[in-house]
Amino acid sequence: MREVPKFSADVPRASELSVPLYEVVKRQVTEAIMMGKWSAGTVLPSEIALSQMFGVAVGTIRRALQDLTNEGLLSRRRKTGTVVTGRTPQHSLRFFFQYFRLHGLDGSLQNSTSDILSLKRRQASEEERAGLRLDDAAEVISIHRLRSVGGRPVMHEVMALPARILPEFPDKREDIPSLLYLFLLDRYGIRISAVREQIAADMATQEDCRLLQLDMPSAVLTIDEVAYDQSAVPVLVAKHRATTRSHRYVHEVQ
């Protein structure tokens, strides 16, 4: 008998969220599927049972399950119920919110931890102004973050966001959440609706070698990212530099 995943008993009220409550349910169900707690072929509990597990209305559960069915994670079968398909489009935009870009050499999903190396409010660089469509005097919130998998550093990234659209943004490094896209949605109602990436290779710099524990000379993967909100306005630019000694960047089109 398969173990029933434990979900958060403290699901916020809809009035406390800028994100719909069914999206919270979708995240937790998705997490259970992506991390193998509900494997392919698992029949989910009934909508009534799920509503009791999450402490939400049956209609909220129904909307979440329908969305996940449309996305291919679940299927509805007569006389059986709602079944996990095993088809996990790990690089759809919604998964991009929650999961790490780099996968194991066997294609497995990786859990990463993040360490904020610096947090600054500063004037935008020329490149950032162009990417974010800012005027010359605009300021950005700049975050330099190191990502690790299994205790080993694999990527560092510098992100810049327009300061004017993020009032009362945390000013302490320890207050920056690891899931930044979800934080933007929950706190500011900014929904990332599109991401454009340019991928290349480069020789590791001294900073790369220090942060990623590389020897010189080494090569790194570079990802230049621009993320756009629901109005197609750029709200984040980032430069990611990663080692692919034990990881691969996976791009999946479905």
Side-chain angles (χ1 to χ4, degrees):
M1 184 175 180
R2 292 185 177 91
E3 178 184 358
V4 176
K6 291 181 174 61
F7 297 105
S8 172
D10 188 23
V11 176
R13 295 187 299 272
S15 60
E16 297 174 342
L17 298 169
S18 57
V19 58
L21 191 55
Y22 71 85
E23 290 282 2
V24 179
V25 175
K26 283 174 62 178
R27 288 179 204 167
Q28 294 204 40
V29 173
T30 297
E31 182 79 15
I33 294 171
M34 295 291 286
M35 302 313 297
K37 296 177 182 177
W38 272 336
S39 57
T42 298
V43 179
L44 268 57
S46 69
E47 291 179 352
I48 293 175
L50 287 171
S51 72
Q52 293 171 347
M53 291 167 62
F54 283 98
V56 299
V58 171
T60 300
I61 294 294
R62 186 170 297 134
R63 172 63 189 273
L65 297 185
Q66 185 59 57
D67 279 11
L68 293 174
T69 298
N70 293 340
E71 293 174 12
L73 272 73
L74 303 175
S75 67
R76 301 291 187 101
R77 300 179 186 174
R78 290 187 62 187
K79 299 182 180 180
T80 301
T82 304
V83 182
V84 177
T85 64
R87 175 179 175 268
T88 54
Q90 295 169 347
H91 287 262
S92 75
L93 187 57
R94 191 163 63 80
F95 292 125
F96 196 82
F97 278 26
Q98 301 180 63
Y99 300 105
F100 193 46
R101 289 168 170 76
L102 299 183
H103 288 213
L105 297 180
D106 61 356
S108 60
L109 192 67
Q110 303 288 288
N111 273 334
S112 71
T113 58
S114 61
D115 181 25
I116 304 297
L117 303 178
S118 68
L119 171 63
K120 302 175 183 176
R121 182 178 177 128
R122 57 171 173 77
Q123 189 169 7
S125 68
E126 182 178 354
E127 186 176 3
E128 290 164 346
R129 292 197 301 271
L132 294 170
R133 304 175 193 167
L134 302 175
D135 59 41
D136 291 346
E139 291 187 328
V140 294
I141 294 170
S142 177
I143 302 170
H144 189 189
R145 181 167 66 176
L146 179 67
R147 294 286 198 100
S148 300
V149 174
R152 298 187 62 180
V154 295
M155 175 186 283
H156 72 103
E157 50 204 3
V158 176
M159 299 168 283
L161 305 94
R164 61 177 175 78
I165 66 172
L166 304 173
E168 299 181 1
F169 193 86
D171 56 8
K172 296 180 180 179
R173 290 183 296 174
E174 57 268 26
D175 293 335
I176 303 297
S178 58
L179 297 178
L180 187 59
Y181 282 3
L182 290 178
F183 175 74
L184 294 177
L185 179 59
D186 290 344
R187 172 71 70 86
Y188 299 103
I190 297 173
R191 181 183 295 275
I192 302 301
S193 298
V195 175
R196 182 175 185 266
E197 293 184 330
Q198 296 185 68
I199 299 175
D202 194 9
M203 295 304 297
T205 64
Q206 289 186 348
E207 181 181 47
D208 294 331
C209 291
R210 176 175 59 84
L211 293 176
L212 302 178
Q213 299 176 5
L214 301 175
D215 296 323
M216 296 190 75
S218 292
V220 292
L221 175 75
T222 67
I223 307 168
D224 289 348
E225 171 191 351
V226 183
Y228 300 84
D229 70 7
Q230 56 268 48
S231 300
V233 175
V235 294
L236 179 147
V237 294
K239 289 184 173 294
H240 312 268
R241 298 177 70 86
T243 172
T244 55
R245 290 175 303 185
S246 55
H247 294 82
R248 294 291 182 268
Y249 184 94
V250 177
H251 180 67
E252 181 177 296
V253 178
Q254 300 200 19

